[in-house]
Amino acid sequence: MRLLPLLLICASLILGPGAFAQTVPATLIADNIRFTRASNSVTASGNIEVFYNGSILRATSIDYDGANDQLNVEGPLTLLQANGDSVVYAEFAQLSGDLQNGVLQSARMVLDQQLQIAATQINRVDGRYTQLYQTVASSCEVCAENPVPLWQIRARRIIHDQEERQLYFEEAQFRALGVPIAYFPRLRLPDPTLERASGFLAPEIRSNDEIGTGIRMPYFIAMGDHTDLTIAPYLSFGESQTIEARFRRAFRNGFVEVNSAISWDNLTEASNRSYVFAEGWFDLPRDFVLEFDYQTVSDPAYLLSYDYSDEDTLESQINISRARRDEYIELGISRYRSLRDGDNNYTLPTLMTDAEITRRYDPAWIGGIATLGLSTHSHYRRSSADIDGRDVARISAEANWRRDWVLPAGFLAAVELQWQGDAYYIQEDSSFDDVETRSTPFVSTELRWPLIRAGQGGATHLLEPIVQFAWAPNSQNAVPNEDSLVVEFDEGNLLSLNRFPGRDGHELGPRLAFGLSYTREDPLGWSYGFTVGRVYRQDDLSQFTQGSGLDGAVSDWLLAAHIDAGSGLSIVNRALFSDSFNVTSNELAVNWENDQLDLSSSLTWLQADPAENRPDDMAEWAMDASYDFDNAWGASVDWRYDFEANEPTEAGLAVSYATECVDVEFSLSRRFTSSATLNAATDFGFTIALNGFGATRDGRSYDRTCQN
């Protein structure tokens, strides 16, 4: 029969009579236990478990020699380390009483349930070092029907430093599918539990029409627990050579990351090309947050040529902000640089400052919610030419109050009042006075009537007609419009007092907006609905462009519809069209997501609008999709097609193979567009990474298993 733990007996046998006054070092559980006081020995058999300082030894037979403090263990045996990161299996072991030293025969060690090392013999030293002889190491699953792993490392000896979590190989031979590939006299690799260790990361082979074919060899340098540096030379077989660098530092109250690269090629006349992107944030006292970004590049084509970024405008900024329940404060300075062909950074506003404070109140004497705000803005152009070099500084004050009521029969009513005052200081623009001021009041009333009905099968129907009347003066002093040039008309701003996206544009004149929305919710989880609306004005003040859908005394019809299938599939469509069904814009977006598929596709059509810097119609199809097969394979594609030009602009394909022991990815991409500074190019990439060394298992969804 199974015995209770013989705690005191084991203590007296291992430590002697004084053990009763000391901490008990071990616990033994077994079906049968025999001890001999004369020889100070213990013999145990059947379902044995020995516990010591968190380590667990399981075996079928144990002989303990108390005189020499030694265990002879018959297997099959299992030795589990206290932290659970290491498990040793063996047929026979000779161990010290504290399980920290000894020899194991015909053994196998498993680290973090990933890396397996088979050895003819394992020696344990001081509970820290494990020496394995005549070894085979792999993280691949080995089955009887497929005994050769995808990869393995054979070595004369492996030393595992449990404290430093490092593996040291001697006379190591790397094999792929059983074929010797490389030989290393000495090799050091991190064990699977180590997340940060200096050393080489997975290399990448890359081929590009412009920069040639080469190999990227990143080297990670751990500079402490909170700082690291990654150096990645790109060694090309052509005339292009690159060194990349990434620096990261975590602070108690923030984080900083810097990415950069320098290249030497013959694509430009410059001796070298480079970029630096830096970002970070810090928590400051009194709930303030400091955020900053820094972006610079040697020439406009560098980022796209080397596939570092597709940004066409660089922004460097430093910003301090605080957000509380009833208050928002922000102060920021920004510098911009356009990389687009045709843009002149001397006539674009490149240096900007902004400050804002907004507070919300609950006035008990009138009810509702009131908001007060004060903001400033300035921007500077390097050009001193008249009009093209215009510099502007603005200070604005804003007050808003809104209150809602529930009326009989379920009607919802609302009144909103708003006032905004602005003072502009304008330089280098003869079409304006140096100082311009304006005062703009807004008044609106709103009425809704939500109607809900429960249908057959538990479905609910919600129908809501909406009408809003808004008033603003027909005219005001003219000011430069720098931030309100592109206007979008959608269901989100159908009832807005001001549909201009920035502070320079104010929507003027009396107007009436109405809408009708309908939504059906099914108990099975799917739904669909639509919103239709339009805006009527008393007078056409010619504030909006033709492409906005808001021009004229009567706006285009707005129709937005959505379908949510409840199974990861959603479809959204938004269209603007006239009474004669001339479409101003149409946007269709489809998203489908489940355990295996992630699909996002959109079709966009926009009418030409020179005022928005769009001289021609725009029609584009974009698609991004990825699919995880039931096995280790996965694939992803991306696609951009310009229907007006009848040609694709971008295309990409990636195929991956990821198992418990290896990650392989092949990618192919093509950029079809070209410009004065950039040529069309094709890019190939190939990456292979061995799992089982370092913490690379996070997020892995597929492990191969042996079939019975």
Side-chain angles (χ1 to χ4, degrees), residues 166 187-190 194-203 216-223 228-233 246 693-694:
Q166 297 285 338
L187 181 64
R188 178 184 61 83
L189 295 171
L194 186 61
E195 296 186 0
R196 292 170 53 82
S198 298
F200 284 100
L201 304 179
R216 182 176 179 269
M217 295 288 295
Y219 187 85
F220 179 82
I221 304 172
M223 305 169 65
D228 60 58
L229 174 66
T230 303
I231 303 294
R246 184 193 67 182
F693 302 108

Side-chain angles (χ1 to χ4, degrees), residues 574 576 582-588 603-608 617-620 643-644:
R574 182 183 298 111
L576 298 176
N582 292 322
V583 178
T584 302
S585 69
N586 189 79
E587 300 172 75
L588 172 66
L603 282 169
T604 304
W605 189 89
L606 298 176
Q607 187 183 72
D617 293 342
M618 189 192 81
E620 183 181 80
F643 287 101
E644 292 298 320

